[in-house]
């Protein structure tokens, strides 16, 4: 791909010093990964100032650099006030020239799996999507830089935030033609403050979307004023019997039932939907998000029979609600991240997947960024976890949070002898290795629970 240096200058709000480069073939913010012909962004807000690596970028073959101050180097330099903001503005400019549907995905949990399901449904060969969870102020621009209407019919862009103000910036870049919101839950409360604060920020993705474009979301999200004001655009997913919040444009009811070991059947109300969409998960959260994907596919005019086929072969990504077997043990692996809603959902999916005769071992890592109510969130999470004879519960994290987990577990009927606490997963390796049956792993990423898996599953 080639990018117009003059358009980049105009979008960025900066100015080329001397002559502009003849050509730009891509963008990079890490000099180690830069390819010849690409433009290097010298980002100044991290642990290291990106301006220190401009010389390295030059040696790697950079065609130009975006900087906040002129450097004594022989390379075209686009001088801007803020390199990160310039990155976002350039990304927004590139997105404005992409004429195909852009779907924005956000929510407190399940963003990445929802994005991956939609990517599979739309067809990977003709869809551009966020890689991994590159969903922040660097990842979103880097994703948008790759838009190419000659090769792609759709783009699926994941948007994640942890503080006020970020979603407004991401929403302006993405300018979605359709938005999906997975859920509103207790995540990043340290800076977002409350569930209302989470909802207010997440709703900005739709606020900055194309005018009057649809937003697909679960009914529970409409209890928040920030989403209720969008009701006229809302395509709402609700379980049978739910009281509907507000007055949404469309309501589609659904139900989930078991469809064999580790599988669910989704049924959506409406003659146009196939009788059953099978999915390789017992997680109610994943199934709800799959239903949101089905509604998005319908809105985009896809053949729902083909959607059913593609969902039936989709599998959760490693460490995101996947199941695996090794050495006679069965593992439920969901240790990429955690918040109270996703933890409760994953524990329920695990419990439903293990037969009565199989002993269960729950390994719960602490949940980060929950703010002042962190202790109560941990206590209330394990208070919902009912034990069974032979079960054990291992808790990983800071003492005050594992103690809160412990208090909730004792309320739920766990015996003190079945509980064990540790500050890090390393200290539990021998205990987990001795367990038989089924093992559940979930916690915030920093606790690295994957180290408790056999080498073959890591």
């Amino acid at each position: 791909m080639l990018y117009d240096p003059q358009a980049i200058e105009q979008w960025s709000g900066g100015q080329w010093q001397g002559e502009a480069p003849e050509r730009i073939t891509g963008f990079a913010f890490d000099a180690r990964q830069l390819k010849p012909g690409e433009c290097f962004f010298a980002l100044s807000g991290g642990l290291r100032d990106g301006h220190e690596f401009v010389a390295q970028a030059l040696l790697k073959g950079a065609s130009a650099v975006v900087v906040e101050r002129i450097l004594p180097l022989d390379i075209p330099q686009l001088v801007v006030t803020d390199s990160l903001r310039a990155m976002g503005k350039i990304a927004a400019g590139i997105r404005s020239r992409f004429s195909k549907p852009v779907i924005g995905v956000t929510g407190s949990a399940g963003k990445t799996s929802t994005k991956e399901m939609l990517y599979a449904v739309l067809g990977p060969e003709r869809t551009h999507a966020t890689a991994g969870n590159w969903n922040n102020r660097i990842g979103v621009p880097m994703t948008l830089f790759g838009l190419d209407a000659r090769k792609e019919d759709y783009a699926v862009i994941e948007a994640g935030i942890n503080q006020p103000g970020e979603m407004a910036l991401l929403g302006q870049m993405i300018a979605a033609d359709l938005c999906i919101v997975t859920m509103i839950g207790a995540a990043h409360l340290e800076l977002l403050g409350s569930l209302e604060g989470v909802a207010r920020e997440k709703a900005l993705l739709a606020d900055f979307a194309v005018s009057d474009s649809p937003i697909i979301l679960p009914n529970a999200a409409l209890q928040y004023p920030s989403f209720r004001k969008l009701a006229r655009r809302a395509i709402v997913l609700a379980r049978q019997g739910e009281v509907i919040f507000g007055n949404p444009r469309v309501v589609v009811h659904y139900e989930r039932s078991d469809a064999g070991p580790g599988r669910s059947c989704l049924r959506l109300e409406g003659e146009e939907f196939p009788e059953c969409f099978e999915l390789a998960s017992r997680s109610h959260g994943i199934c709800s998000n799959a239903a949101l994907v089905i509604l998005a596919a319908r809105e985009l005019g896809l053949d729902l029979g083909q959607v059913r086929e593609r969902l039936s072969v989709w599998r959760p990504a490693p460490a995101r609600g996947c199941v695996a077997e090794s050495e006679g043990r069965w593992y439920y692996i969901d240790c990429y991240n955690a918040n109270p809603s996703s933890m409760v959902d994953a524990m329920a999916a695990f419990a439903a997947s293990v037969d009565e005769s199989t002993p269960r071992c729950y390994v719960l890592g602490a949940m980060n960024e929950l703010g002042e109510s962190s202790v109560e969130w941990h206590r209330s999470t394990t208070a919902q976890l009912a034990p069974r004879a032979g079960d054990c519960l291992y808790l990983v994290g800071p003492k005050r949070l594992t103690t809160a987990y412990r208090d909730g577990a004792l309320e739920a009927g766990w015996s003190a002898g079945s509980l064990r606490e540790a500050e890090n997963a390393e200290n539990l390796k021998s205990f987990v290795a001795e367990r038989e049956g089924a093992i559940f792993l979930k916690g915030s990423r920093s606790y690295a629970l994957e180290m408790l898996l056999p080498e073959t599953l890591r």
Side-chain angles (χ1 to χ4, degrees):
M1 293 177 64
L2 295 177
Y3 301 86
D4 179 6
Q6 303 307 321
I8 290 170
E9 178 183 51
Q10 180 180 352
W11 292 328
S12 73
Q15 187 172 7
W16 290 110
Q17 297 302 305
E19 291 189 8
E22 290 185 9
R23 52 188 274 157
I24 292 174
T25 59
F27 300 91
F29 65 93
D30 185 335
R32 296 168 298 181
Q33 298 178 7
L34 182 140
K35 298 180 180 63
E38 292 184 337
C39 176
F40 175 70
F41 286 95
L43 303 179
S44 61
L47 295 175
R48 296 286 299 274
D49 187 341
H51 293 77
E52 299 174 14
F53 302 98
V54 171
Q56 181 182 347
L58 178 57
L59 290 174
K60 292 273 287 186
S63 60
V65 294
V66 177
V67 294
E68 295 169 5
R69 58 182 183 272
I70 300 174
L71 300 175
L73 294 170
D74 185 20
I75 186 172
Q77 300 180 41
L78 179 60
V79 182
V80 299
T81 303
D82 183 317
S83 296
L84 182 57
R85 282 190 173 271
M87 177 187 260
K89 291 177 180 178
I90 294 168
I94 291 170
R95 187 274 175 259
S96 70
R97 294 186 174 180
F98 186 77
S99 58
K100 309 293 181 63
V102 174
I103 301 96
V105 179
T106 194
S108 298
K111 295 183 292 295
T112 300
S113 59
T114 302
K115 177 260 300 181
E116 293 294 337
M117 280 189 278
L118 186 56
Y119 179 60
V121 161
L122 295 175
E125 67 283 353
R126 297 293 296 174
T127 304
H128 182 71
T130 301
N133 69 330
W134 272 39
N135 60 18
N136 61 12
R137 288 186 62 194
I138 295 175
V140 169
M142 291 299 294
T143 302
L144 292 173
F145 292 151
L147 290 174
D148 188 348
R150 299 168 301 173
K151 300 178 180 178
E152 295 142 359
D153 294 324
Y154 305 97
V156 184
I157 314 296
E158 181 181 334
I161 61 169
N162 64 9
Q163 57 188 291
E166 287 186 315
M167 188 60 84
L169 297 170
L170 300 183
Q172 290 175 71
M173 294 180 214
I174 296 168
D177 295 292
L178 183 152
C179 294
I180 297 176
V181 179
T182 60
M183 66 163 298
I184 300 301
H188 306 300
L189 295 183
E190 221 165 42
L191 296 176
L192 296 177
S194 64
L195 291 176
E196 288 77 10
V198 173
R200 185 166 54 250
E201 292 299 316
K202 296 292 185 182
L204 290 173
L205 180 67
D207 285 342
F208 287 101
V210 172
S211 180
D212 293 324
S213 58
I215 173 171
I216 300 174
L217 72 174
N219 175 47
L222 287 185
Q223 67 186 289
Y224 301 101
S226 299
F227 284 105
R228 205 153 50 241
K229 72 179 184 181
L230 301 170
R232 64 182 178 82
R233 297 164 52 191
I235 300 170
V236 167
L237 180 72
R239 291 185 183 180
Q240 294 289 350
E242 271 192 70
V243 176
I244 305 301
F245 294 100
N247 186 27
R249 184 185 117 197
V250 175
V251 176
V252 177
H253 290 92
Y254 82 107
E255 59 182 19
R256 188 208 73 86
S257 58
D258 295 341
R263 298 190 69 81
S264 293
C265 172
L266 288 177
R267 290 182 172 86
L268 279 70
E269 187 180 78
E271 293 182 359
E272 71 270 37
F273 296 109
E275 182 179 349
C276 173
F277 292 85
E278 276 205 27
L279 198 69
S281 177
R282 287 277 185 94
S283 160
H284 285 269
I286 290 177
C287 290
S288 171
N289 293 337
L292 296 175
V293 166
I294 295 166
L295 295 182
R298 182 184 69 165
E299 196 70 16
L300 294 167
L302 272 66
D303 176 81
L304 294 179
Q306 186 177 67
V307 170
R308 179 178 60 179
E309 292 173 11
R310 291 180 172 180
L311 277 178
S312 70
V313 297
W314 174 86
R315 296 292 182 272
R320 293 180 183 271
C322 65
V323 297
E325 290 187 48
S326 178
E327 301 172 359
R329 296 183 185 87
W330 187 87
Y331 293 87
Y332 189 101
I333 309 165
D334 195 359
C335 48
Y336 186 82
N337 219 331
N339 62 41
S341 298
S342 67
M343 183 70 84
V344 170
D345 176 70
M347 291 189 305
F350 171 69
S353 301
V354 181
D355 63 55
E356 292 288 332
S357 63
T358 302
R360 303 175 299 184
C361 178
Y362 292 85
V363 183
L364 309 187
M367 301 175 288
N368 294 339
E369 298 184 53
L370 293 179
E372 295 178 356
S373 301
S374 183
V375 167
E376 176 55 27
W377 281 115
H378 282 75
R379 187 205 62 76
S380 63
T381 296
T382 46
Q384 301 176 62
L385 181 59
R388 197 168 66 194
D391 286 353
C392 68
L393 177 58
Y394 296 159
L395 310 169
V396 181
K399 183 63 176 176
R400 73 184 188 94
L401 299 183
T402 59
T403 298
Y405 267 154
R406 182 186 183 89
D407 291 344
L410 293 174
E411 288 179 34
W414 289 78
S415 67
S418 62
L419 307 178
R420 186 174 296 276
E421 300 173 57
E423 289 192 5
N424 58 70
E426 183 73 30
N427 294 337
L428 292 176
K429 265 189 171 182
S430 61
F431 298 101
V432 173
E434 293 171 359
R435 296 296 306 184
E436 299 294 335
I439 297 172
F440 173 89
L441 302 172
K442 187 169 177 65
S444 283
R445 186 71 196 89
S446 58
Y447 301 105
L449 298 186
E450 69 276 3
M451 74 167 58
L452 300 174
L453 292 167
E455 289 286 348
T456 54
L457 297 182
R458 290 186 193 174

